[in-house]
């Protein structure tokens, strides 16, 4: 019937919207040494999106970049990328890159960040615990 066809179409549209909607499972607030929040980080494993939103007033100099580091509970430290200027930034990250992370940290680095495989060279300005949000 026409009504069943319409319902099937509405169900398909709803399923498509639900599939596209982010599913935040991890969250962190990166703060400075005075506990002032500077960056809100969320992670959506369904879409492999790590989203960083500046919530503080810090702005790095034109010749500097903020680089995001994952400090795993095992002690391994890995770069997740450089935070470009702007309010909201999305980086691609697989869940295994963030699953066992205890702390996320932002260091101040030369423009473009340190080369892959190299440790942070500048000071850690902001850090925070990455926690798994309840569903």
């Amino acid at each position: 019937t026409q009504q069943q066809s319409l319902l099937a179409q509405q169900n398909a549209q709803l399923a498509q919207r639900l599939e596209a909607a982010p599913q935040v499972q991890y969250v962190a607030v990166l703060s400075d040494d005075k506990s002032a929040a500077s960056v809100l980080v969320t992670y959506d494993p369904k879409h492999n999106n790590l989203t960083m939103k500046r919530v503080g007033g810090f702005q790095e100099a034109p010749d500097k970049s903020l680089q995001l580091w994952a400090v795993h509970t095992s002690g391994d430290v890995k770069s997740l990328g450089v935070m470009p200027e702007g309010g909201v930034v999305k980086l691609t990250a697989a869940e295994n890159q963030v699953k066992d992370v205890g702390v996320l940290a932002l260091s101040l680095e030369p423009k473009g960040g340190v080369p892959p495989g190299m440790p942070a060279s500048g000071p850690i300005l902001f850090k925070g615990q990455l926690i798994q949000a309840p569903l």
Side-chain angles (χ1 to χ4, degrees):
T1 70
Q2 187 177 5
Q3 187 176 13
Q4 287 174 326
S5 176
L6 183 60
L7 283 174
Q9 186 179 13
Q10 288 174 337
N11 283 343
Q13 289 172 347
L14 181 58
Q16 190 175 25
R17 278 190 262 156
L18 285 173
E19 182 61 32
Q23 182 183 38
V24 173
Q25 286 192 7
Y26 298 87
V27 66
V29 176
L30 308 187
S31 305
D32 63 15
D33 58 357
K34 296 176 182 72
S35 296
S38 294
V39 178
L40 173 67
V41 179
T42 57
Y43 179 67
D44 170 10
K46 186 165 90 175
H47 297 100
N48 291 333
N49 278 336
L50 188 73
T51 303
M52 298 185 291
K53 179 177 180 171
R54 293 177 190 247
V55 293
F58 180 83
Q59 186 59 52
E60 59 276 20
D63 64 338
K64 300 288 185 184
S65 290
L66 290 175
Q67 190 158 358
L68 182 66
W69 300 91
V71 182
H72 293 266
T73 53
S74 65
D76 286 347
V77 179
K78 292 203 168 53
S79 173
L80 294 177
V82 173
M83 186 172 185
E85 294 179 31
V88 177
V89 177
K90 287 187 186 282
L91 299 173
T92 300
E95 189 169 8
N96 65 355
Q97 290 178 284
V98 297
K99 188 176 183 180
D100 296 319
V101 170
V103 173
L104 291 174
L106 280 170
S107 64
L108 188 64
E109 302 294 347
K111 190 74 174 175
V114 297
M118 298 296 293
S121 64
I124 300 293
L125 298 182
F126 310 106
K127 62 183 176 180
Q129 185 175 11
L130 183 67
I131 59 170
Q132 191 164 7
L135 295 177

